[in-house]
């Protein structure tokens, strides 16, 4: 189990971020309920792109295990392929599989982190071309749609202060980088600058980014981020 930082969003007119140091495994679904549906492009940008590339075209080293290269996973197929669907489900749920065994180049994304609904959406989106999926055989997958409005950047770190905003939230009267005060028409882009899997979650307001990987693994690509609209 990876030790990480869990960020909790509290909303009472403003958005406050507080740090709780704990196991990522604590991100369980409340009362066994299915987590809200998340567009696969957002899941991919947060959890998959940091190794497989911002378009899913592969050829990059894994930041979890630099001795391994992440393969292409965006294919844009025109017909269903049950074998590949099952293989994608197996690897996503259990981690990377090489030569008869599971390895640590890619972690397992269990049902408490990626719901069955979001898993199926991700597999279909990666494997198939529109209208069934979202992938292109030449260019891979598109980035998630950027929300309308002004962006507030929040960076997750591996050490104190653990997270900080970019000081562009003009409504914050104290200029506190560990608190985000959103104005109408603003959204948050959460970027993981740490070399640990992190998440932002609050079950009370229905926020759960899932795992966000290390954005610095591919410095010339936009990876390891999640758009939050509250």
């Amino acid at each position: 189990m990876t030790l990480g930082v869990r960020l909790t969003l509290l909303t009472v007119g403003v958005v406050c971020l507080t740090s709780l140091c704990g196991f990522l495994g604590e991100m369980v679904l409340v009362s066994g309920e299915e987590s809200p549906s998340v567009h696969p492009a957002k899941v991919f940008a947060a959890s998959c792109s940091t190794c497989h590339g911002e378009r899913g075209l592969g050829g990059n080293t894994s930041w979890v295990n630099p001795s391994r290269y992440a393969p292409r996973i965006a294919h844009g197929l025109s017909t269903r392929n049950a074998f590949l669907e099952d293989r994608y489900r197996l690897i996503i749920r259990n981690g990377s599989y090489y030569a008869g065994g599971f390895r640590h180049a890619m972690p397992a994304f269990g049902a408490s982190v990626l719901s069955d609904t979001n898993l199926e959406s991700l597999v279909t989106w990666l494997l198939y071309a529109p209208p069934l999926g979202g992938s292109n055989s030449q260019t891979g997958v598109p980035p998630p749609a950027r929300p309308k409005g002004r962006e507030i950047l929040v960076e997750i770190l591996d050490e104190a202060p653990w997270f900080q905003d970019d000081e562009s939230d003009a409504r914050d009267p104290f200029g506190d980088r560990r608190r985000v005060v959103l104005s109408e028409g603003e959204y948050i882009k959460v970027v993981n600058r740490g070399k640990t899997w992190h998440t932002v979650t609050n079950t009370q307001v229905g926020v759960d980014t899932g795992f966000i990987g290390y954005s610095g693994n591919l410095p010339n690509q936009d990876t390891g981020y999640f758009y939050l609209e509250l």
Side-chain angles (χ1 to χ4, degrees), residues 58-79:
N60 313 294
T61 58
S62 163
W63 63 269
V64 180
N65 182 352
S67 67
R68 293 288 182 181
Y69 278 82
R72 175 174 183 155
I73 57 175
H75 293 289
L77 304 178
S78 58
T79 57

Side-chain angles (χ1 to χ4, degrees), residues 1 17 39 45 48 54 63 85 97 110 127 129 132 136 155 159 173 187 208 213 221 223:
M1 187 86 56
L17 297 179
H39 194 283
C48 314
E54 62 183 351
W63 63 269
E85 288 182 21
Y97 189 86
L127 283 176
L132 181 60
N136 181 283
E155 299 174 304
E159 58 186 7
Y187 66 91
D208 188 350
Q221 299 187 39
T223 67

